[in-house]
Amino acid sequence: MAIVEDTAFEALDALQRDPYALYARAREADGVTFVRELGAWLVARHADARAVLSDPDTYSSANAIRPDAAPSPAALAELAKGISGGPVAVTADGEAHLDLRAPLTRGLSGTRVTAVVPFILERAESLVGEFAADGRAELMARYARRLPGDVLGRLLGLDPADARTAVHGGRQAERLLFRPLDVDEQVAAARDVVRLQHLLDAYAHARRIEPRDDLISEIVQGIAPGSGDLDPDQRGQVVANLQNLVIAGHLTTAALIGTTVLRLLRHRDRWERLCAHPEVVPAAVEEVARHDTVVQGFRRVTTRPATLAGTELPAGAEIFVAFAAANRDPEVHERPDEFDIDRPPSRHLAFGHGVHACPGAQLGREQVRITLETLSRRLPGLRLDPGSRVTMLPTMIHRSPERLDLVWDVN
């Protein structure tokens, strides 16, 4: 596992905050381009990305999400107090992947998502109501990072207070593995991760004894069917997959909410059109997902020698499949760099493709749709705070504003 050195984080951060110029050069280059900051071959064209994602036998997902930072010995000592992990769906291949994905597919089915929509509506109204009379809010903290955690907690079957603990632990896990932290920060993050693991383990144990109609029960029975106590390997696998779901299910949707609002408010005419014609909301969600993709891409590793776009790759070659680059490929999308909510439906890769396509795509879309409908109805005069500068997070897995300061007139 390659780890980014402290001195290299600055270059990596710059690339992650604004990768689109690199993507454009890579699409125009012959073959595929090796990017030193990523330590991987960058797949930037739509056809090449689909080819990789459609061939999991040649391009394994074993390295799909590779950490950038190495925890210190002190942090590792804290992590040793947690529940030992196992394979998770996003990094598994073949039959193992199908087995781990099946309970996610059932637990995030269209029927389950439809059933949780009333709760999403209620929470969206409540969260906006908390700041609607203030005339200003920082949307990421006040709304975007709260709604997905509440919704995911509901689907998992967590008590509200435990859902907040789980979301915090998930964010700390991401910081520990992808950001340069000092030793004390690493240890604090590791303790939060361990707290999350023991919380999820306790819920898994309870659902083993008394299953419910929730996502934790689905995952417990899907990974370890039967009854009786879970053995250590089963516990590790259940906890690892629940932890991965907490991280992915919260970070990506929070990011899509923030990025969607940012793009619409930066294009005032699009925001005003959406307010006047709420029927365009679903198309707006798809266009933001295409134009500024939250999950910029995932990694793959070659299982055997392969030829991709004319480039010879040996077995074990690290690849970064840039969904965001493919989504601006002019061979597929007209005016690809233009943000146009009236764009006809098109094949984008914002939620992946193939056997690893995102099982929570419908849930994410519903939360963003409801967010836009709620904000445009209650706060149509919403605008970016002119005194605040928007900076994007340095990440390839949940691209969004670090903070999003908004203002509006209060009647």
Side-chain angles (χ1 to χ4, degrees), residues 75-403:
L76 291 173
E78 290 297 329
L79 291 174
K81 301 173 185 177
I83 310 297
S84 297
V88 297
V90 73
T91 57
D93 294 311
E95 290 298 322
H97 167 252
L98 295 177
D99 290 343
L100 293 172
R101 184 184 172 88
L104 293 174
T105 302
R106 292 191 297 269
L108 296 170
S109 68
T111 300
R112 286 276 179 85
V113 172
T114 298
V116 83
V117 163
F119 177 78
I120 302 173
L121 287 164
E122 182 276 326
R123 288 305 296 145
E125 288 285 347
S126 178
L127 289 171
V128 172
E130 291 180 8
F131 56 73
D134 297 343
R136 63 173 53 249
E138 196 285 287
L139 193 74
M140 300 308 297
R142 298 293 300 273
Y143 182 96
R145 295 185 183 123
R146 293 177 65 185
L147 178 68
D150 292 344
V151 172
L152 186 61
R154 178 85 165 200
L155 282 168
L156 285 166
L158 300 177
D159 292 337
D162 289 337
R164 290 189 289 273
T165 298
V167 165
H168 175 71
R171 286 196 163 273
Q172 289 288 74
E174 192 268 344
R175 290 182 69 235
L176 180 62
L177 296 177
F178 291 94
R179 301 306 306 149
L181 306 176
D182 64 34
V183 173
D184 288 343
E185 289 175 318
Q186 288 184 32
V187 168
R191 287 173 179 163
D192 288 335
V193 172
V194 169
R195 188 175 298 115
L196 165 64
Q197 292 173 349
H198 284 292
L199 173 71
L200 296 174
D201 184 52
Y203 270 92
H205 178 72
R207 295 299 187 269
R208 182 69 161 186
I209 296 171
E210 186 177 343
R212 297 184 185 179
D213 184 21
D214 59 29
L215 194 43
I216 290 180
S217 298
E218 195 75 67
I219 289 175
V220 170
Q221 284 300 313
I223 290 177
S227 59
D229 290 339
L230 298 174
D231 65 38
D233 287 343
Q234 291 173 326
R235 286 180 67 202
Q237 201 163 25
V238 167
V239 169
N241 281 271
L242 287 172
Q243 178 177 304
N244 185 71
L245 177 58
V246 167
I247 296 170
H250 173 258
L251 288 177
T252 54
T253 304
L256 185 55
I257 289 171
T259 300
T260 299
V261 174
L262 172 64
R263 295 301 159 206
L264 286 165
L265 294 183
R266 276 187 168 167
H267 296 80
R268 191 73 201 175
D269 59 328
R270 275 72 158 181
W271 172 252
E272 291 174 354
R273 171 160 167 66
L274 184 145
C275 290
H277 300 279
E279 66 273 12
V280 306
V281 165
V285 175
E286 294 304 312
E287 176 63 352
V288 174
R290 180 204 69 83
H291 181 261
D292 203 3
T293 307
V294 165
V295 179
Q296 293 272 296
F298 279 143
R299 293 176 179 271
R300 295 290 186 266
V301 62
T302 52
T303 60
R304 55 197 176 206
T307 302
L308 183 61
T311 300
E312 300 290 335
L313 301 172
E318 293 264 346
I319 294 170
F320 185 79
V321 187
F323 307 156
N327 285 340
R328 293 200 186 186
D329 189 336
E331 294 296 318
V332 178
H333 306 283
E334 287 188 30
R335 303 169 284 106
D337 294 322
E338 182 179 331
F339 176 62
D340 179 8
I341 65 174
D342 293 313
R343 184 183 298 276
S346 59
R347 295 185 307 166
H348 65 68
L349 299 179
F351 299 101
H353 172 73
V355 296
H356 278 277
C358 177
Q362 183 180 345
L363 179 63
R365 285 180 167 111
E366 287 293 331
Q367 293 181 72
V368 183
R369 175 185 66 80
I370 289 169
T371 294
L372 292 183
E373 291 174 350
T374 304
L375 289 175
S376 62
R377 174 172 44 82
R378 298 194 61 174
L379 302 172
L382 203 63
R383 56 192 184 275
L384 298 174
D385 183 347
S388 178
R389 179 173 176 266
V390 178
T391 302
M392 302 304 284
L393 287 169
T395 176
M396 289 296 202
I397 55 175
H398 56 104
R399 178 173 170 79
S400 69
E402 288 187 346
R403 55 181 294 125

